[in-house]
Amino acid sequence: MKKLLANVGAVLAFGLLTLVSCTEDIAEQDHYKVPDWLKGNAYEVLQSEGNHSIFLKGIELSGFKPVVEGQSLTTVIAPNDDAFNTFLQQKGYSSIEQMNEKDPEYLKRLITYHLMYFAYDWDKMVNFRPNEGDGATTEEKEYNAGIYYKHRTHSQKAVEDVRVKLSPAAVNDTLIKLYHYESYVPVLSNKFFETKGIDAKYNYEYFYPGTTWGKNDGANGAFNIANGAVLDKENVITDNGYLYHVDHVIEPVGTVYDQLANNPKYSEFLKLYDSYSVYETAAEETRRSLGYDVYVHRFDGLPSIAMEWPVEDSRAFAILESNGYNVFAPSNAAMQNFFATYWKPGCGYNSINDLDPLILQYFIMQSFADESRICFPEEIKKGKVLTVFGTEININPDEVTDRVICENGAFYGMDKMDAPAIFSSVVGPAFNDVAYINYLYTLDGSDQILSLASNQTKFVTLIPSNKQYEQSEPQMRLFTTLSGRELQEYSADAGDFVNMGSSAMKNIVNIHTAQNISKLPESGQAVITTNQAFNYWFVKDGKITTNALFNNLLEPTYKDDPFSSFTPLKYDGQDWDNGAAYTYDHESVFKAVSGDGLGHKLAVCNDKNYEYYMFAQLLNLAGLIDTKTSTLSISLVPTECKHFVCFIPSNEAITKALADIPGCNGLTVTDGVLSGKVSTTNKPKLATWLRQYFVNDQMNSLTAYPYEGSECNGKFYNVDGDLMTIDTSNGVRISNDNGSAVASKKYYQLPFAFPDGCFQLMEDIIK
């Protein structure tokens, strides 16, 4: 640095003076003259100014005078005597000597919080560039300008001997040495707020109401150091670094965890948080420097707000200088009020302590912002701050009681809280009532819960009860083990319950979810696409079923009603924030359609009682069924196809029009049974007639099956490459040059949908 070179120059100048004549005062010559800006080391400069005696005494008492007057590059933040006297009075001390006598460890932390590592000139305080350094281009300086907002100080808590459980599952306490890294002090500049696109004065003074923003708004930008307004207009250069004068003593406020631990009003939230505590050995670099093992305090699955550093690598400047947690912590009163409001009598939870561990985990997780940098009230009001679940932080910053920018993030302490977005979304009933706890574990295991809490779209969810899980086939249950609770399903192969996989849970959630609708119709008929592709809810006259259950109507022995009544689940008498939720009274949990598929059903059908019997027999007679594999011919459904649609004339329609079907002149129907043979000459004719009823996704874009109002509407190619029209604007009708046919009203013109395809039963044929 040029100041150190100047110091060397001054020493050389002094040496030269001893070698020349006394009458020749070479030190007065410009070439050898000591620069005016070289004022001595930081200690000497403050001493010469005469109004920092308390701070200087504190430096001496804490043992850091050698640092302040030494050769190590240092940035000193200096409060004057007036500021220090005010601070001491607030703390109940008559002098800094008394503070040292009563709490020397605190005095050391306080004084060293004003001593930064390295030398930061004005530009670096406004817009530090940890990656590019002094060689940053103009363009590079504008990228994330000011975001590297905190700098390492010499302030550090002493190693503590503590007895802790090393993990939440630990039974016994262990005596460890708990290590704390050196503190970082926040330096908030106008560039920082410009990059965030928010007002500097409002957002700074929100956290520091006793300090004025902008006192040092010079040509190179303004900045304040924590709660200290910088009084200089430019940096003061010393022999060993830089010096900045501030109007407040800057008190080390500790970590976000310290804010919780030091304020009894947040003890309930802290207790929840501490239930995730784990203690791990510190980085090897740290242990090597100390010469013995030490531990750091982390949290299993939660942000490690007890650690001063977000990472333990002292060389990771960009992360250390910019990253900070954001914690929105409810007070004990806020938590109790929220519990009483959200969990009503009869829900199965009588107190916070009764809540399932998974509910508590989501409750605490929603208290963190999904942001690696500290956020400010203006950003919250604009809806820019999201939880880790992707939902908006739904608090009013003006109602926040305790607000602190800590060494490792921002703390928002609230005496009032509304239901977090995830609890007030359409998955809310799973949190709200113990009767639906199995479904909450299904949501969690499916990784769908975050998307369903989003307010970017509307959802309707069906919420199955624990009883429905237990009555399902195979049976499902929530099982408690030493490591936690697990959703299990009975496996006939294993002869026991096994853990459900995430894909199985995802299928259950998807069949219980529809989006871009706000509620279920209470009258009339509707087909609703679920989040499980090609699976549907059929709603009719205030009842609901799935296509998987509706398909049972095809079975000759099925006499039940596949439709079930549904009942809205409300929150405080209202729908949920992003849609509506319902329970339904089917005996078991709705599941996605499964089985061998439509192609197989058509290939093996030989029972006249099935509605598609005649059509299946014609397919076989036309040579369109591979009898060896019990599948449809690849000319109908190529192996590359994933889905196909078939329009099947009913048995009655085929019987009535048999004589008009090409190639069928040798066939008869007696008592509903088709008999006779199709000649070799007639097979191609019959096959061509049958193929016109098939549409597959190799030749068309099939995003939905046909039903009234479906997207499967317009011109489509059948498997012979001929255009046909599918009209779903009013019921379901198909047509080509040879005529048209309409879907049977017997089944409400609803599709029978299977994993590989669907069919509509038609009242008549196309000739």
Side-chain angles (χ1 to χ4, degrees), residues 43 74 130 155 203 236 383 406 447 519 539 575 604 619 751:
Y43 193 93
T74 305
S155 183
N203 289 283
V236 176
C406 306
D447 291 329
K519 58 180 59 180
V539 181
D575 280 335
V604 300
L619 288 173

Side-chain angles (χ1 to χ4, degrees), residues 121-128 141-142 189-192 194 213 216-223 232-235 244:
D121 62 17
W122 195 280
D123 288 342
K124 289 184 177 64
M125 297 293 266
V126 171
N127 186 14
F128 181 54
K141 288 179 180 178
E142 288 305 310
S189 71
N190 61 317
K191 284 291 185 182
F192 175 90
E194 285 174 8
W213 172 261
N216 65 349
D217 193 7
N220 294 325
F223 65 91
D232 311 289
K233 291 293 184 181
E234 60 183 14
N235 44 227
Y244 298 95

Side-chain angles (χ1 to χ4, degrees), residues 165-170 257 268-280 296-306 355-366 368 389 441 444 483:
K165 287 182 173 59
L166 291 179
S167 70
Y257 184 84
E268 290 295 327
F269 185 80
L270 180 66
K271 184 167 68 174
L272 288 180
Y273 206 93
D274 274 340
S275 65
Y276 294 88
S277 287
V278 293
Y279 294 86
E280 301 172 354
V296 292
H297 188 183
R298 295 185 183 275
F299 299 90
D300 186 16
L302 300 178
S304 292
I305 59 173
L355 294 174
D356 186 90
L358 188 58
I359 296 176
L360 293 174
Q361 181 182 353
Y362 275 96
F363 176 79
I364 197 167
M365 283 297 291
Q366 59 79 35
F368 301 96
F389 302 124
Y441 276 81
D444 181 64
S483 58

Side-chain angles (χ1 to χ4, degrees), residues 618 621-622 662-667 676-684 686:
L618 293 179
L621 291 169
C664 289
N665 54 352
L667 302 178
K677 293 184 178 180
V678 176
S679 68
T680 304
T681 305
N682 281 335
K683 274 189 177 182
L686 177 57

Side-chain angles (χ1 to χ4, degrees), residues 401-693:
T401 311
D402 300 307
R403 47 186 90 156
V404 183
I405 293 181
C406 306
E407 296 166 10
N408 63 347
F411 174 79
Y412 291 79
M414 304 172 293
D415 284 333
K416 176 185 175 184
M417 68 173 293
D418 296 322
I422 194 168
F423 283 73
S424 59
S425 71
V426 291
V427 297
F431 290 94
N432 189 244
D433 196 315
V434 72
Y436 307 116
I437 191 64
N438 287 10
Y439 191 59
L440 179 59
Y441 276 81
T442 309
L443 286 163
D444 181 64
S446 72
D447 291 329
Q448 300 284 81
I449 198 166
L450 307 188
S451 59
L452 295 179
S454 170
N455 58 6
Q456 299 303 306
T457 189
K458 289 290 186 181
F459 297 95
V460 167
T461 57
L462 301 178
I463 311 292
S465 69
N466 301 340
K467 185 176 181 180
Q468 287 170 306
Y469 274 79
E470 294 162 6
Q471 295 178 164
S472 291
E473 181 61 42
Q475 184 184 355
M476 295 176 284
R477 70 178 186 181
L478 189 61
F479 190 67
T480 302
T481 68
L482 292 175
S483 58
R485 308 187 79 181
E486 300 167 343
L487 194 64
Q488 298 182 334
E489 184 177 53
Y490 187 80
S491 167
D493 292 337
D496 199 356
F497 283 90
V498 297
N499 289 346
M500 286 185 67
S502 60
S503 60
M505 289 189 272
K506 184 176 290 187
N507 287 342
I508 291 176
V509 172
N510 284 340
I511 198 65
H512 284 80
T513 306
Q515 62 189 73
N516 298 319
I517 63 171
S518 57
K519 58 180 59 180
L520 294 178
E522 296 179 0
S523 60
Q525 180 174 308
V527 178
I528 298 170
T529 303
T530 71
N531 281 10
Q532 185 76 6
F534 297 98
N535 280 261
Y536 304 93
W537 296 335
F538 300 155
V539 181
K540 186 176 183 298
D541 299 330
K543 291 190 172 184
I544 191 169
T545 191
T546 64
N547 55 286
L549 292 172
F550 187 77
N551 290 347
N552 289 329
L553 292 175
L554 294 170
E555 299 298 323
T557 58
Y558 184 79
K559 303 302 179 184
D560 296 331
D561 181 1
F563 287 88
S564 305
S565 60
F566 56 86
T567 305
L569 295 169
K570 302 282 188 176
Y571 171 55
D572 253 1
Q574 303 295 320
D575 280 335
W576 304 86
D577 289 347
N578 61 346
Y582 299 84
T583 186
Y584 59 98
D585 68 358
H586 187 66
E587 64 180 7
S588 59
V589 173
F590 281 170
K591 290 189 177 181
V593 67
S594 60
D596 295 325
L598 175 58
H600 178 76
K601 287 183 178 296
L602 290 172
V604 300
C605 181
N606 197 31
D607 184 337
K608 69 176 185 178
N609 293 306
Y610 283 90
E611 295 279 11
Y612 48 85
Y613 159 75
M614 289 284 186
F615 191 77
Q617 294 302 299
L618 293 179
L619 288 173
N620 190 30
L621 291 169
L624 295 177
I625 289 177
D626 185 336
T627 55
K628 290 182 179 180
T629 60
S630 297
T631 59
L632 295 178
S633 165
I634 60 172
S635 66
L636 294 176
V637 187
T639 54
E640 297 84 359
C641 288
K642 293 183 179 179
H643 298 93
F644 70 94
V645 175
C646 186
F647 299 91
I648 298 179
S650 67
N651 294 341
E652 183 181 353
I654 290 176
T655 300
K656 194 185 305 182
L658 187 61
D660 297 323
I661 298 175
C664 289
N665 54 352
L667 302 178
T668 60
V669 177
T670 304
D671 194 24
V673 177
L674 185 67
S675 58
K677 293 184 178 180
V678 176
S679 68
T680 304
T681 305
N682 281 335
K683 274 189 177 182
K685 298 177 184 177
L686 177 57
T688 298
W689 182 82
L690 290 166
R691 286 161 61 87
Q692 71 180 324
Y693 292 98

